[in-house]
């Protein structure tokens, strides 16, 4: 978009870059426009004429070629990353840059509404419209309307004309070019205002307003009509604007090369104030876009975005371009950040055209977020499945280990009990063995005593007395009874359940019952002898001191009391200990 010359102190050259015509290009996904316009402030108010500029153009050729040789190929990417880091920080600290502007705007508004001096109020409205023209379109339009009404009251037609052009500019930037067109045509029909509008580049503003239509999808007939109108306006613009650089920024191409325009703009970038640097840097980026120099274009878009954020500019075309570029190269974090901030800018400025430009980028970001969310859902599903499998496996292993532990504990407990039983049995057997040893020793001792007694009696010739002593029951019967009792104790320790096992083989009405003072009677002793393998009745009779017939009677009586008479003695002998 073209700007206003320095000759007008009210409408300065600090106006935003106009939106470019959106079109689909295979090389770039970024929405672009058919023409690339940007405000350009003349290089120098006292610059030489076009004759001297021809010599200067040659110098720019050499300087530009030298710069291409000296700058490494990787430098733009590295510098771009550094600039993007700076831009990220600036966006996070945006309130620091916005607060002074907001305070100043509030002061100007208070001054314009409260002061009784109309001249001061007019100056306040003019300054407020200039301050808000790239920050809040509604505030800027209101300031222009109030200032215009006050200027007409005071008869200040130059100021009124400047405010009309500024309002038309803001209407176009906010996405209402038809309103701007109506405003310009109405103002131009005013005979008193027309001369001042011509002095302030009315045709340039009228020409630029048609470019704002390109943000919308218009029918081809309307686009052709607008193009014809713009072509007719070029002659009027060239008659008022003679600066080649300004013409290059106004029209698609100028009378000299794009590289020459870039060199001039770079020099101008270091001469203008901070509030104008964003406009110039964005224009340089657009010119690099014309020659498809993507790294340098992105670099100057980043610089323009930084300048715009730092000066509180909400009409930030560069930030929208960067958001689309970051989405194109896959830097979705920055694309989301820049798109979010650009959306806030468009909402604060109330720019419909910027929202239209942002829409494709927002759609791309939304689709990317959906894809990421879908991937996360899939990974979460897989993760949950794997986690469930792991939990099931771990649970199974834990249950299996617990069962094994329980089984081992049971086996250990059984082994301990078995070991305890073995120890008890060994102790009992040792005790029984000691009883049998003592019984054997006492038997040997008793036999030796009787042997010595017999020898003594025989040597002394006391045969009759010896016979009487051998017939005396006190000599051996007591010892035999003592031995049988020790046998009872030892046997019952070896077979503690022997009596229950015997009764289990007998009928219920023929159970063996012992008194409290009795260990075993002859019936149980007979069965005990059968258990330990002594089955001969003569041996049993000799041990018990009874006749063989008595033993036969014992055995017959016990078989008659048994449940299975024929197998009773066999069952006693085969019963486990």
């Amino acid at each position: 978009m073209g700007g206003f010359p320095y000759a007008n102190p009210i409408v300065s050259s600090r106006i935003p870059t106009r939106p470019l015509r959106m079109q689909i290009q295979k090389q770039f996904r970024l929405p672009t426009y058919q023409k690339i316009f940007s405000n350009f402030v003349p290089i120098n108010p006292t610059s030489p004429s076009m004759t001297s500029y021809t010599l200067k153009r040659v110098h720019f050729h050499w300087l530009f070629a030298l710069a291409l040789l000296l700058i490494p190929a990787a430098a733009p990417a590295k510098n771009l990353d550094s600039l993007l880091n700076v831009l990220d920080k600036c966006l996070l600290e945006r309130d620091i840059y916005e607060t002074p502007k907001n305070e100043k705007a509030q002061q100007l508004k208070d001054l314009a509404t409260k002061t009784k001096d109309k001249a001061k109020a007019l100056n306040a409205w003019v300054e407020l419209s200039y301050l808000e023209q790239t920050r809040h379109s509604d505030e800027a339009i209101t300031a222009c309307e109030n200032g215009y009404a006050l200027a007409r009251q005071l008869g200040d037609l130059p100021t009124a004309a400047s405010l009309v052009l500024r309002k038309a500019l803001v209407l176009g930037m906010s996405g209402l070019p038809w309103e701007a067109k109506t405003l310009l045509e109405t103002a131009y029909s005013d005979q008193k205002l027309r001369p001042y509008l011509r002095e302030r580049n009315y045709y340039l503003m009228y020409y630029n307003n048609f470019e704002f239509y390109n943000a919308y999808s218009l029918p081809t007939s309307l686009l052709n009509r607008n193009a014809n109108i713009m072509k007719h306006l070029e002659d009027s613009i060239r008659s008022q604007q003679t600066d080649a650089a300004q013409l290059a920024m106004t029209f698609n191409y100028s009378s000299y090369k794009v590289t020459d325009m870039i060199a001039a703009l770079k020099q101008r970038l270091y001469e203008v104030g901070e509030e104008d640097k964003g406009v110039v840097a964005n224009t340089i980026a657009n010119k690099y876009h014309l020659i498809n120099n993507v790294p340098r274009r992105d670099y100057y878009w980043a610089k323009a975005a930084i300048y715009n954020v730092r000066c509180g500019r909400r009409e930030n075309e560069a930030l929208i371009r960067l958001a689309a570029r970051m989405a194109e190269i896959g830097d979705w974090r920055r694309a989301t950040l820049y798109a979010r901030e650009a959306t806030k800018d468009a909402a604060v400025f109330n720019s419909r055209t910027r929202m239209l430009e942002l829409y494709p980028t927002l759609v791309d970001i939304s689709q990317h977020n959906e894809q990421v969310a879908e991937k996360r859902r899939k990974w979460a599903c897989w993760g949950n499945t794997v986690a469930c499998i792991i939990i099931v496996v771990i649970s199974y292993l834990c249950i299996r280990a617990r069962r094994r532990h329980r089984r081992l504990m049971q086996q250990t407990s059984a082994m301990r009990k078995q070991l305890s039983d073995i120890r008890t049995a060994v102790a009992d057997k040792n005790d029984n063995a000691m009883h049998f040893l003592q019984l054997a020793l006492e038997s040997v001792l008793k036999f030796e005593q009787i042997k010595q007694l017999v020898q003594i009696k025989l040597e002394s010739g006391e045969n009759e007395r010896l016979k009487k002593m051998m017939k005396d029951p006190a000599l051996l019967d007591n010892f035999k009874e003592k031995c049988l009792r020790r046998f009872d104790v030892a046997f019952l320790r070896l077979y503690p359940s022997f009596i229950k096992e015997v009764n289990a083989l007998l009928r219920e009405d023929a159970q063996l019952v012992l008194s409290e003072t009795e260990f075993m009677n002859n019936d149980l002793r007979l069965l005990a002898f059968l258990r330990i393998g002594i089955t001969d009745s003569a041996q049993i009779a000799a041990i018990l001191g009874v006749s063989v017939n008595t033993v036969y009677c014992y055995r017959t009586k016990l078989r008659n009391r048994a449940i299975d008479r024929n197998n009773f003695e066999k069952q006693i002998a085969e019963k486990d200990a």
Side-chain angles (χ1 to χ4, degrees), residues 135 182 243 332 426 485 488 556:
R135 298 178 68 249
T182 303
D243 183 76
W332 295 104
V426 170
R485 286 186 176 275
D488 294 343
T556 301

Side-chain angles (χ1 to χ4, degrees), residues 191-436:
Q191 298 295 331
K192 295 181 180 180
L193 206 59
R194 184 181 298 177
Y196 302 101
L197 291 174
R198 289 179 176 177
E199 290 178 2
R200 284 153 182 79
N201 287 339
Y202 167 80
Y203 295 112
L204 180 63
M205 179 58 65
Y206 198 77
Y207 179 92
N208 291 338
N209 184 67
F210 279 95
E211 284 296 323
F212 290 118
Y213 283 100
N214 295 327
Y216 301 95
S217 298
L218 299 177
T220 305
S221 58
L222 292 180
L223 292 175
N224 294 334
R225 185 202 65 180
N226 292 345
N228 292 329
I229 295 174
M230 294 168 66
K231 185 176 182 181
H232 289 298
L233 289 172
E234 287 186 8
D235 294 336
S236 300
I237 295 172
R238 291 182 186 277
S239 64
Q240 293 183 350
Q241 183 61 257
T242 58
D243 183 76
Q246 183 66 46
L247 291 175
M249 299 304 100
T250 303
F251 304 127
N252 195 11
Y253 292 97
S254 184
S255 58
Y256 60 102
K257 295 181 180 180
V258 177
T259 53
D260 296 336
M261 293 189 290
I262 292 175
L265 288 171
K266 284 184 178 180
Q267 181 177 350
R268 186 56 185 158
L269 181 62
Y270 295 100
E271 297 175 356
V272 298
E274 291 296 325
E275 295 185 358
D276 296 326
K277 287 185 181 295
V279 176
V280 179
N282 191 75
T283 306
I284 296 173
N286 292 338
K287 296 307 174 185
Y288 273 120
H289 182 71
L290 286 176
I291 59 176
N292 293 331
N293 191 337
V294 177
R296 301 308 295 174
R297 178 200 66 184
D298 297 345
Y299 176 79
Y300 278 95
W301 270 344
K303 291 190 72 172
I306 293 172
Y307 289 137
N308 290 336
V309 171
R310 286 179 173 175
C311 70
R313 185 188 185 96
R314 292 289 186 173
E315 221 294 307
N316 197 344
E317 175 188 354
L319 195 59
I320 299 175
R321 302 288 187 268
L322 281 176
R325 178 59 178 163
M326 294 299 105
E328 181 182 2
I329 64 177
D331 190 348
W332 295 104
R333 182 189 68 81
R334 282 194 170 112
T336 304
L337 173 62
Y338 298 160
R340 183 176 66 244
E341 294 298 324
T343 303
K344 291 180 182 177
D345 288 345
V348 171
F349 187 76
N350 196 16
S351 176
R352 298 154 186 82
T353 55
R354 296 307 181 204
M355 293 301 295
L356 289 175
E357 292 179 51
L358 271 169
Y359 180 74
T361 305
L362 294 176
V363 170
D364 291 343
I365 294 174
S366 177
Q367 292 177 350
H368 170 73
N369 292 337
E370 290 178 359
Q371 293 175 358
V372 171
E374 183 64 24
K375 288 181 180 179
R376 289 179 178 175
R377 283 194 293 269
K378 289 182 179 179
W379 280 109
C381 182
W382 280 105
N384 292 335
T385 303
V386 172
C388 291
I389 293 174
I390 293 174
I391 291 173
V392 170
V393 172
I394 293 176
S395 301
Y396 171 74
L397 294 176
C398 290
I399 294 173
R400 185 177 179 182
R402 188 173 180 180
R403 289 178 178 175
R404 182 181 297 177
H405 177 72
R406 186 182 301 169
R407 188 163 55 251
L408 290 175
M409 291 298 294
Q410 291 175 353
Q411 292 177 357
T412 304
S413 178
M415 291 177 66
R416 288 178 179 176
K417 184 177 180 182
Q418 185 178 2
L419 181 60
S420 177
D421 294 340
I422 292 173
R423 288 176 178 176
T424 303
V426 170
D428 291 341
K429 289 180 179 180
N430 292 336
D431 191 18
N432 294 333
M434 290 299 296
H435 279 286
F436 282 112

Side-chain angles (χ1 to χ4, degrees), residues 540-555:
I540 297 173
I543 295 171
L544 295 178
V546 295
S547 66
V548 176
N549 291 331
T550 302
V551 172
Y552 285 142
C553 291
Y554 285 159
R555 297 176 78 165

